[in-house]
Amino acid sequence: MDVNELFWQASIEDIKKGYVEETAHFTCLLCGEQIEKGIIYPYEDVLYEAEKFMQHHITSAHHSVFHYLNGLNKKMTGLTDHQSHIMRLFYEGHTDQEIKERLDIGSATTIRHHRFTLKEKERQAKTFLAMMELLKEKDQKEDHFIPIHKTATMVDDRYNITLSEEQELLEKYFPKGIGQELTRFPKREKHKIIILRAITKLFDKTKQYTEKELNEAIQPMYEDYVQIRRYLIEYGFMDRTDDGSAYWIK
């Protein structure tokens, strides 16, 4: 399963851990890294069993689950940049007085107000989650939406795409199958996302590609491979080095 789908389907407890346990391995919800069960992993003179090594991966690759989530697009977290900054300082154990001095805020009372506001958001979120769970139980005919990739640079109505709509459009734009010739590159933002999402799944998320390799993979699908390559970066599906020598799935 795609790591974005896995992330959005995970329980709150699994998201807090940053990984899920599957039949043969543990999978990182933050990047898709998989640690196979039944193997002992040596690292810096320490031997780790699989789950402990996954926990080590979370720390070494992402600092912490909190820091990873706190760094997501504010459309994903519902927090302003200022709230994200203050939450990080809370998480790192700074006192109200230290935060006041660091942010040059008038008084510690302002910091306490931020704590109260965040608690209020927590209560609202719990209520909303309960309502959504009840709604899903009631509405069995719901056509599910495609999951938004966590590295999306813009999150708005263009992601209002159902799974059935995605399938219909993919058959329209890729009549010979995904990876074959694209009939045209759409102008509508929603349709662009569907095409780019499908193209992204053709690449190995563990591999880095040279620009030449990326071009050669895209060109059979669409003659203007430079445009596709640019959009994959622009929409947050791929990233690259500053000099363009390497590309990879975000």
Side-chain angles (χ1 to χ4, degrees), residues 46-85:
V46 178
L47 299 177
Y48 296 87
E49 54 86 23
E51 187 167 12
K52 286 292 185 183
F53 194 62
M54 174 55 76
Q55 293 167 1
H56 170 74
H57 161 77
I58 296 288
T59 302
S60 61
H62 308 291
H63 192 180
S64 73
V65 175
F66 178 91
H67 285 87
Y68 176 87
L69 297 175
N70 193 50
L72 292 175
N73 186 296
K74 58 187 176 185
K75 284 282 189 175
M76 301 285 188
T77 63
L79 300 171
T80 65
D81 292 338
H82 186 59
Q83 287 173 327
S84 292
H85 190 188

Side-chain angles (χ1 to χ4, degrees), residues 8-20:
W8 294 119
Q9 290 182 17
S11 67
I12 297 295
E13 287 305 312
D14 282 338
I15 291 176
K16 283 167 57 180
K17 290 190 303 182
Y19 62 91
V20 290

Side-chain angles (χ1 to χ4, degrees), residues 164-181:
S164 59
E165 183 180 13
E166 178 188 45
Q167 185 59 39
E168 180 183 339
L169 289 170
L170 286 175
E171 291 173 2
K172 173 184 174 181
Y173 288 109
F174 287 109
K176 297 179 182 178
I178 298 172
Q180 302 301 311
E181 186 177 1

Side-chain angles (χ1 to χ4, degrees), residues 197-212:
R197 171 181 154 92
I199 291 174
T200 301
K201 290 184 177 182
L202 299 174
F203 293 95
D204 183 346
K205 65 179 180 291
T206 66
K207 179 181 175 181
Q208 289 195 350
Y209 296 85
T210 65
E211 187 173 288
K212 183 174 183 292

Side-chain angles (χ1 to χ4, degrees), residues 208-215 229-230 233 238-248:
Q208 289 195 350
Y209 296 85
T210 65
E211 187 173 288
K212 183 174 183 292
E213 288 173 330
L214 190 60
N215 293 344
R229 191 183 71 216
R230 185 176 71 249
I233 300 294
M238 297 191 83
D239 206 350
R240 67 171 192 170
T241 56
D242 291 338
D243 62 2
S245 61
Y247 291 76
W248 60 90

